[in-house]
Amino acid sequence: MAKTTDAKTLPDNLSGGADKSSYLGSLTLLTSLFFIWGFITCLNDILIPHLKSVFTLSYTQAMLVQFCFFIAYFVASVPSGYLVEKINYKGGIVAGLSIAGIGCLLFYPAASQHSYPLFLGAFFVLASGITLLQVAANPYVTILGKPETASSRLTLTQAFNSLGTTIAPYFGTLLILSTAVKSAEEINLLNAEELSVYQATQAAAVQNPYLFLAAVLFCVAIIFVMIKLPEIKSTEQTPVNVEEHSFDDAHDSAWGYKHLVLGAIGIFVYVGGEVCIGSFLINFLGEAGIAGLTEQEAGKYVSFYWGGAMVGRFVGAAVMQKIKPGKALAFNALTAAVLVLIAIMGSGSISMWAILSVGLFNSILFPTIFSLAINGLGKHTGQGSGILCAAIVGGAILPVLQGVFADRIGIQAAFFIPVLGYCYIAFYGLTGHKIAV
């Protein structure tokens, strides 16, 4: 096995003579991306109940929002991995921001035409851009620094992703859910002029926030075009194995690494479970046996769920420099499973706060699974990142599956889906992440 401590195995800009302050500036800029895509992704949790009411959808139909959003990860991730290898990380970031900006612009005609299929198409384009951003940014963060602190570093940047997901529900609730949605019966009673005003009001509630987001994305893309980031070629990547070994010659492609494949399954069930909980929170808290909250009131509580993840990631970034990532992963996953079970079997405030508390223990799961899964891949890191980001498609599949169960057995019982995923993640933390070549 080749040791990676030799300076010859490092890119020039990451060798011992590199200016460490350059890493701080680059990581700060990259952190802004994590915040942006966290904010945008979490707005889905606010739009789902809004669109469900506007278009009078079932739970299964409403979850098509998450299906179209997260299926983009499956479709675009592997091509994005190859694209990043061709145009480098900076080029991938700029392209991802631009595509996401176009996706935000598409919300304008979707709202104007009052078309649910157009909304779904806009979600797909937006998510395709975010997918490219993730494929470029996640491994770049793990590479910019010491290999043994990769999990901690990615957890810290993910904490700012959680800051975006914490703020988004509050502002989304104020902007999108501020206007009450009428029932189908109430709409039928409106005359032509009243109907036109009502539809324009509902459209503007969606259009204005996404036009603003489009402007932000394009501005950030321009900034990244103008700045200089450390260049790291895929063939020069520093392995992020905590034991500082490179296993990049063990297999011809990333698919040959068992711990990567198992990690991809872990990403699939984690993202699926996290999205399941976030997508159903507003409707769950609106249940008479839970909290009986209105959509606007419940929307503000979604911030507690994502805020817990933010706090947990800031704490985890420090704690995980002392605790082995695998053990921390298993502990958090098992605790999350127990909390969801309490939410399923309980009622009232007990169920409400149990499900909201899951966010705290979700905190380190994604960055830890990701960094463990790409340990030792070396030159295959770009492909491995693409595979892991493709596994985010769990956010498309599992919420729809939970929606099917929610329509049949009730929204509370349907939360058994995330429980199964957390149990698998605990297994990965205990044994599944170990490298076998």
Side-chain angles (χ1 to χ4, degrees):
M1 305 297 176
K3 295 289 286 184
T4 63
T5 52
D6 190 336
K8 292 185 293 183
T9 65
L10 296 172
D12 291 340
N13 62 336
L14 292 182
S15 62
D19 181 4
K20 299 300 181 182
S21 64
S22 66
Y23 305 162
L24 179 61
S26 299
L27 286 171
T28 301
L29 289 168
L30 289 167
T31 297
S32 70
L33 299 180
F34 284 74
F35 173 85
I36 290 169
W37 81 57
F39 188 96
I40 292 173
T41 300
C42 199
L43 279 182
N44 292 1
D45 295 343
I46 302 301
L47 270 178
I48 285 172
H50 178 77
L51 296 177
K52 184 178 185 294
S53 299
V54 169
F55 293 102
T56 60
L57 306 171
S58 66
Y59 282 119
T60 304
Q61 292 170 326
M63 287 305 116
L64 289 177
V65 167
Q66 301 292 33
F67 179 84
C68 289
F69 189 89
F70 285 97
I71 199 68
Y73 285 89
F74 181 76
V75 174
S77 284
V78 174
S80 294
Y82 288 115
L83 180 63
V84 168
E85 290 182 356
K86 297 294 183 182
I87 65 176
N88 69 43
Y89 291 104
K90 178 179 175 179
I93 289 170
V94 172
L97 287 166
S98 301
I99 294 170
I102 293 171
C104 286
L105 291 178
L106 291 176
F107 279 82
Y108 194 93
S112 297
Q113 298 297 318
H114 196 67
S115 171
Y116 190 50
L118 280 179
F119 269 111
L120 297 180
F123 278 115
F124 180 84
V125 175
L126 172 59
S128 296
I130 293 177
T131 300
L132 181 52
L133 275 179
Q134 293 218 35
V135 170
N138 281 320
Y140 196 41
V141 169
T142 65
I143 291 165
L144 281 179
K146 295 181 179 180
E148 59 269 24
T149 58
S151 291
S152 173
R153 195 161 52 253
L154 190 55
T155 297
L156 180 60
T157 54
Q158 288 281 343
F160 286 91
N161 176 274
S162 294
L163 177 60
T165 62
T166 301
I167 294 173
Y170 184 81
F171 283 97
T173 298
L174 293 178
L175 297 173
I176 298 173
L177 297 182
S178 59
T179 304
V181 177
K182 298 182 182 296
S183 65
E185 292 77 13
E186 291 173 325
I187 291 175
N188 289 333
L189 296 176
L190 299 177
N191 58 41
E193 183 178 351
E194 290 172 334
L195 179 61
S196 177
V197 171
Y198 171 73
Q199 290 179 336
T201 301
Q202 294 298 332
V206 175
Q207 289 171 330
N208 294 336
Y210 279 89
L211 284 176
F212 174 76
L213 288 173
V216 171
L217 288 166
F218 288 130
C219 287
V220 175
I222 293 171
I223 291 173
F224 270 89
V225 169
M226 298 174 64
I227 63 170
K228 183 178 182 180
L229 291 175
E231 291 188 13
I232 304 173
K233 298 179 181 179
S234 60
T235 56
E236 297 177 325
Q237 288 172 345
T238 307
V240 294
N241 188 283
V242 293
E243 297 178 355
E244 296 189 355
H245 286 88
S246 171
F247 301 94
D248 55 353
D249 293 325
H251 299 284
D252 293 331
S253 78
W255 286 107
Y257 298 84
K258 182 180 177 181
H259 72 286
L260 171 72
V261 175
L262 293 178
I265 297 172
I267 294 290
F268 180 94
V269 297
Y270 163 70
V271 176
E274 181 185 56
V275 174
C276 280
I277 295 173
S279 300
F280 284 92
L281 262 181
I282 291 178
N283 293 113
F284 179 69
L285 298 181
E287 293 281 293
I290 304 299
L293 301 176
T294 65
E295 286 186 353
Q296 189 172 14
E297 292 172 333
K300 295 177 181 179
Y301 276 93
V302 176
S303 290
F304 285 94
Y305 173 67
W306 295 108
M310 177 186 68
V311 172
R313 282 172 173 167
F314 279 117
V315 174
V319 172
M320 288 181 62
Q321 296 192 40
K322 306 294 183 181
I323 300 176
K324 290 185 176 181
K327 291 182 178 180
L329 183 65
F331 173 81
N332 276 37
L334 288 174
T335 304
V338 170
L339 287 170
V340 179
L341 284 173
I342 292 173
I344 292 173
M345 296 183 291
S347 62
S349 60
I350 293 177
S351 288
M352 171 181 167
W353 288 108
I355 201 69
L356 291 174
S357 299
V358 173
L360 178 63
F361 297 93
N362 275 344
S363 56
I364 68 164
L365 300 191
F366 181 90
T368 305
I369 295 171
F370 192 98
S371 57
L372 289 174
I374 60 174
N375 276 349
L377 267 60
K379 64 185 180 183
H380 302 301
T381 301
Q383 184 190 14
S385 176
I387 292 170
L388 292 174
C389 286
I392 294 175
V393 72
I397 306 298
L398 297 188
V400 174
L401 181 61
Q402 183 164 330
V404 172
F405 279 103
D407 287 329
R408 286 163 174 73
I409 65 175
I411 188 173
Q412 188 171 9
F415 276 108
F416 79 89
I417 298 290
V419 174
L420 298 178
Y422 288 128
C423 290
Y424 174 84
I425 294 169
F427 151 75
Y428 186 74
L430 292 173
T431 61
H433 72 279
K434 295 178 181 178
I435 299 176
V437 295

